[in-house]
Amino acid sequence: MVVRLRDVAALLGVSDATVSLALSGNPRISKATRDRVIAAAEELGYRPNRAARALRTDATHTLGLIVSDIANPFFGELASEIERHAEEAGYSVTLCNSNEDPARQDNYLLNLLAGSQADGVLLVPTSSTTAGLRAAGAAGARMVVLDRPIAVPGSGLAADHLRSLPTVRSDSSEALRHAAELLVELGHRRVGIVAPPQGTPLGRERRREIKDALVAAGVTGRDVVVEEGDFRQDSGFAAMTSLLGKSNPPTAVIAADGPMGVGALKAARAAHLRLPDDLSFICFDDTPWFELFDPPLTTIAQPIRELASAAVDAILGLIAGGPVPDQSRCRPRSTFVQRASCGPRPTSSTRSSHARATSYKTDPPGKKNS
């Protein structure tokens, strides 16, 4: 038996138009009504008639791109590359910045989908799953998930659709192996991680991958020390401050993204530690100015061009009605870029003497900061 839109409307005692608007994410429909419609659609097993929908709406040749933080240089460069690839295919891009706010993300997502403002959406999600994502899933929206995977609990129409979406993200396992082996070769046996939020799939996965690489290289699990951040610079500062304040602080630190890495470096500087004499440091993402730092930073460089190309190809394939793209192409490899921010493990006496000397030079005893 084919379940039609009118069957969902009849079950709820609402109009066909209300169901249609709710499933398309139209902001005129309240969240409570939208949730009721999604639940009823899942219960009945309703699936939108894509062929009919295509006849009712004209292609816009526009892609929606929602990034989680445009101030993060990684996403700025990724957006630029996506725009270039989309333009080559005859598409324009509408860029939205959710600013790590799930509600803002959902508002952008549903507005892009309502009234077919975009033929498809590329999304860097702020969290594992949201009400807006569920609504988009129930409507069968054409989306590609970028950089951060989503976690979809349960079953039903929305969950099944969301789980089927292409996810384009880098594979950093080989680059992390090289990073861990370098640190061990340099004598480091206690390593800190400034990790992404553990409430996200990316945070849990990246923490596990970094720790596994370190343990495989010879660091004991108890000597991998983790402090959690939130993708923001301030959280990187706080995480590094906590790592350095431990009774047995790490002699090397890996920061799991660029903004947190910059915050961590500020904390190291505030503690009067010098790279790489007092602390070795590796950061995810390779922004153009990291090689201009003193010393230039060792990084895990994500393949931005390959990510952009794979993401655009994936969404255009969905728009054309093609199959889900090959997942191997959706996982291009990151690269380990060795520069000068990693050195031999310092002794505790060497580190403390450097800190005392730098502290006196920066802020002499008895002189207050103005």
Side-chain angles (χ1 to χ4, degrees), residues 28-333:
R28 291 176 358 198
I29 303 299
S30 69
K31 180 181 181 302
T33 299
R34 185 165 62 243
D35 287 346
R36 288 179 58 225
V37 170
I38 292 171
E42 291 179 346
E43 178 184 341
L44 294 176
Y46 169 72
R47 294 187 177 279
N49 186 329
R50 296 192 182 202
R53 184 171 60 190
L55 292 174
R56 291 196 302 269
T57 60
D58 295 326
T60 66
H61 291 284
T62 298
L63 302 178
L65 172 60
I66 306 173
V67 299
S68 57
D69 183 8
I70 198 62
N72 184 334
F74 169 74
F75 292 124
E77 190 174 350
L78 182 62
S80 178
E81 284 293 323
I82 286 173
E83 184 178 38
R84 184 174 68 82
H85 283 282
E87 184 180 20
E88 290 174 354
Y91 281 75
S92 61
V93 175
T94 298
L95 175 63
C96 305
N97 175 34
S98 68
N99 202 31
E100 300 291 359
D101 181 348
R104 190 171 179 177
Q105 166 198 286
D106 284 357
N107 185 51
Y108 281 134
L109 178 62
L110 297 179
N111 281 336
L112 284 169
L113 295 173
S116 299
Q117 294 183 39
D119 297 337
V121 175
L122 304 163
L123 171 68
V124 179
T126 59
S127 56
S128 299
T129 187
T130 61
L133 273 170
R134 287 185 63 237
R142 291 173 293 213
M143 294 192 298
V144 170
V145 178
L146 263 173
D147 187 56
R148 306 175 183 176
I150 56 177
V152 186
S155 60
L157 175 67
D160 291 346
H161 181 74
L162 291 175
R163 275 193 286 267
S164 75
L165 295 177
T167 299
V168 176
R169 47 201 296 265
S170 64
D171 179 353
S172 299
S173 56
E174 184 175 354
L176 282 171
R177 177 176 63 81
H178 289 307
E181 288 174 352
L182 173 66
L183 293 179
V184 171
E185 287 171 7
L186 292 170
H188 297 280
R189 293 298 182 269
R190 189 162 173 82
V191 181
I193 302 174
V194 178
Q198 298 304 289
T200 65
L202 175 66
R204 294 189 293 271
E205 179 185 271
R206 191 160 287 178
R207 169 180 176 165
R208 184 186 69 250
E209 286 184 342
I210 296 173
K211 183 173 182 179
D212 287 351
L214 290 167
V215 170
V219 180
T220 61
R222 66 177 178 275
D223 284 321
V224 178
V225 191
V226 181
E227 290 291 342
E228 181 179 344
D230 64 4
F231 297 116
R232 303 287 197 173
Q233 191 175 132
D234 287 349
S235 73
F237 186 97
M240 178 67 98
T241 300
S242 179
L243 288 171
L244 297 177
K246 296 185 182 301
S247 58
N248 183 16
T251 59
V253 170
I254 300 176
D257 88 332
M260 291 193 301
V262 171
L265 287 174
K266 288 184 176 181
R269 184 176 183 180
H272 310 297
L273 297 179
R274 301 184 303 183
L275 305 183
D277 298 337
D278 306 316
L279 181 73
S280 288
F281 188 79
I282 298 174
C283 187
F284 260 80
D285 303 333
D286 191 33
T287 64
W289 53 85
F290 276 2
E291 63 180 325
L292 302 178
F293 279 25
D294 185 15
L297 294 187
T298 296
T299 62
I300 307 292
Q302 297 199 70
I304 292 178
R305 289 186 179 181
E306 291 87 346
L307 289 169
S309 174
V312 171
D313 287 352
I315 193 64
L316 294 183
L318 293 181
I319 291 170
V324 174
D326 181 4
Q327 285 300 297
S328 63
R329 180 150 187 267
C330 292
R331 292 297 305 272
R333 290 184 177 182

